[in-house]
Amino acid sequence: MSRKIFIKDNIEKLFEKIERALQKANSPQRKVKVVAISKTFPASDIYYAYECGISDFGENYVQEACKKMKELADAGIVWHFVGRIQSNKAKLITQNFEYIQSISSIEKLKLLEKFAQDHNRIVKGLIQVNIGRERTKDGVDPAEVINFYHEILKINPKWVQIQGLMIIPPPSEAPRRYFAELRKIRDSCIEKGIPENMVRELSMGMSDDFEIAIEEGATIIRIGRFIFGERPLKQNP
Ligand SMILES: *Cc1c(COP(=O)(O)O)cnc(C)c1O
């Protein structure tokens, strides 16, 4: 089977499963944005997925992403940064990505805001929450999300538009509780007066658990292997 047909079949299956999960969640009218996570896969694979109706792609490594962006410059792809934000890459990230899903500190947010303003460029941002409270992972502590929003409101960023929350839960047999917890955090932010447009998006759910995430309220799912197949063993440092 050609790579193109493999990817096309996977995307058709994915769209069907999303439809079914939305029916099950009783919200057939909710829009779920699919961000295809294309790390380690070549620009040609991205183009095949793009031809099947996927317009948003996510990458974790800036250099790797920028190479593919050059190859695909004319396609009109929306790029999401989902990796760890290193300060020395913040400028490249703001210059090249439309969405930055992994904002996890006020310092980084200020840095992104500065570069976005310098480049006269509006970017969309999500706050990464460390939902599994893992010491090795980036992200705002779940108990601190409301305070984090209050800090954001003080800075009042104009170039980085904060639109919601993102999680990368630890591997788990029972991921539902993490998705449900993020939804509760979002709801309590709204109750406590955080503007709804700053907490609207919930980016949660990957290849193994996106249906559960959709049932729990995901508006953005990040899908790698389900579309592109297994990744080759780690290439990046
Ligand atoms: C790799 C990755 C994904 C996609 O994972 P799959 O299990 O391949 O769907 C989603 N989000 C982030 C942040 C990733 O690094």
Side-chain angles (χ1 to χ4, degrees):
M1 201 194 316
S2 78
R3 199 58 197 152
K4 182 173 175 164
I5 292 172
F6 173 72
I7 289 170
K8 177 167 175 284
D9 285 352
N10 291 344
I11 290 172
E12 279 168 11
K13 274 182 224 142
L14 176 67
F15 285 158
E16 278 168 27
K17 282 180 184 283
I18 292 170
E19 262 334 293
R20 253 181 275 142
L22 281 170
Q23 300 287 350
K24 198 168 165 194
N26 245 321
S27 31
Q29 70 296 337
R30 191 197 326 151
K31 288 268 176 293
V32 174
K33 190 198 288 290
V34 176
V35 179
I37 305 294
S38 45
K39 61 188 180 209
T40 76
F41 293 105
S44 52
D45 282 356
I46 295 176
Y47 197 73
Y48 296 145
Y50 177 78
E51 286 181 310
C52 299
I54 306 268
S55 54
D56 291 66
F57 291 83
E59 294 272 347
N60 318 37
Y61 294 99
V62 184
Q63 263 94 346
E64 179 188 344
C66 286
K67 270 190 219 147
K68 297 177 198 175
M69 287 171 183
K70 274 196 194 121
E71 289 183 60
L72 295 158
D74 304 326
I77 286 171
V78 178
W79 293 97
H80 295 241
F81 187 73
V82 297
R84 182 168 274 175
I85 301 169
Q86 292 171 280
S87 301
N88 62 352
K89 302 276 165 59
K91 182 176 166 187
L92 263 183
I93 294 170
T94 34
Q95 278 177 301
N96 288 286
F97 290 85
E98 278 77 34
Y99 280 79
I100 303 170
Q101 292 209 11
S102 43
I103 299 171
S104 59
S105 76
I106 292 293
E107 288 64 41
K108 299 266 167 76
L109 174 58
K110 283 183 180 163
L111 205 54
L112 298 170
E113 171 75 0
K114 170 185 151 3
F115 287 125
Q117 177 165 22
D118 287 352
H119 293 94
N120 200 16
R121 193 178 147 78
I122 302 256
V123 296
K124 293 162 187 164
L126 302 181
I127 306 306
Q128 183 171 345
V129 178
N130 187 357
I131 202 77
R133 298 158 179 87
E134 295 169 278
R135 255 187 297 154
T136 53
K137 244 181 220 161
D138 275 353
V140 178
D141 187 274
E144 293 296 323
V145 172
I146 186 77
N147 293 335
F148 197 84
Y149 268 106
H150 284 132
E151 290 298 312
I152 296 174
L153 288 170
K154 273 188 221 155
I155 305 171
N156 191 20
K158 300 201 168 49
W159 299 87
V160 180
Q161 298 178 336
I162 300 298
Q163 301 196 332
L165 303 168
M166 183 273 249
I167 54 170
I168 309 171
S172 165
E173 293 295 308
R176 187 182 295 275
R177 65 195 156 109
Y178 296 119
F179 304 140
E181 186 180 354
L182 192 67
R183 193 194 54 221
K184 283 192 197 118
I185 290 171
R186 192 266 312 273
D187 293 348
S188 83
C189 283
I190 293 173
E191 270 169 35
K192 289 177 180 142
I194 304 303
E196 208 164 333
N197 61 354
M198 293 179 73
V199 282
R200 186 182 302 135
E201 306 291 351
L202 296 182
S203 174
M204 56 186 194
M206 311 198 282
S207 290
D208 294 327
D209 51 23
F210 65 89
E211 291 156 290
I212 303 169
I214 290 171
E215 286 171 34
E216 296 296 334
T219 62
I220 299 175
I221 57 176
R222 308 183 310 271
I223 308 294
R225 289 165 300 130
F226 196 97
I227 295 174
F228 299 112
E230 290 300 323
R231 283 181 287 276
L233 285 175
K234 216 166 163 67
Q235 278 184 347
N236 279 291

